[in-house]
Amino acid sequence: VLSRQSILAAAVAEIDGGGLAGCTMRAVAERLGVRAMSLYRHVGPKEAMLALVPDHLLGPTCEVVTRQVGAIDALWAVADGLQAVIDAHPRAADLLAQPAPGPSMTAAAAHCVDLLVADGLPAELAYGLVRAVVAQVIGEAVTSHGPPSDVGIGVLMDGAAARLAQGLDGPPS
């Protein structure tokens, strides 16, 4: 049965095999044993299909994130899950750099922001911290000269934990 999920799984397989350039509607359709035109009613044109891939890839990570009860644990779940997706699908990393936020990603980000706000951060700072974690992991993957390092994310997370521990009245780390 042709579904959005099966199409996105086939698109990811095409990206994994031939990169973004190799992920054409024709290639995805051939992988699924259907005509390319039958994909359009489920995912729209290629650009729309590719816009759905990040949320598809990050869905399991987002589920883990939304089960976290601590802000720092949720941020680590974001970082670790995002890195796992990049490790498993390195040719899709560029799609993660500026994704259209899908429902899973939106829910995970909102959960992180809610936890950070509950710990005393203003919403704007909480949202910025979530963005910084995502940017650090993706930036390391798409701009690294050599194997990715966890030094940057470690420093960022240590600073976030210290800031939460000292409260808003203390000086920024």
Side-chain angles (χ1 to χ4, degrees):
V1 174
L2 194 59
S3 68
R4 177 179 279 195
Q5 292 295 34
S6 65
I7 294 168
L8 293 175
V12 169
E14 289 299 324
I15 293 167
D16 288 346
L20 292 175
C23 184
T24 65
M25 296 301 270
R26 176 173 282 136
V28 172
E30 285 176 11
R31 181 174 286 274
L32 293 168
V34 299
R35 293 177 161 234
M37 289 305 294
S38 61
L39 303 179
Y40 286 87
R41 71 172 174 239
H42 295 282
V43 296
K46 177 183 174 179
E47 296 77 21
M49 178 182 69
L50 292 177
L52 296 170
V53 168
D55 201 64
H56 172 77
L57 288 173
L58 293 169
T61 292
C62 294
E63 289 177 20
V64 170
V65 170
T66 58
R67 288 194 303 263
Q68 301 304 309
V69 295
I72 297 299
D73 290 338
L75 291 174
W76 270 116
V78 168
D80 292 342
L82 186 53
Q83 186 63 58
V85 166
I86 292 169
D87 290 345
H89 307 284
R91 291 180 166 185
D94 286 340
L95 290 177
L96 301 171
Q98 294 184 350
S104 296
M105 293 173 8
T106 300
H111 182 69
C112 288
V113 168
D114 289 347
L115 291 172
L116 289 161
V117 167
D119 282 351
L121 289 184
E124 184 176 315
L125 183 58
Y127 179 72
L129 183 54
V130 173
R131 287 188 57 177
V133 168
V134 171
Q136 175 62 41
V137 174
I138 293 172
E140 187 72 35
V142 299
T143 64
S144 179
H145 301 285
S149 168
D150 60 358
V151 171
I153 194 66
V155 169
L156 177 62
M157 296 299 284
D158 288 348
R163 178 69 174 173
L164 287 172
Q166 68 192 19
L168 291 177
D169 295 330
S173 304

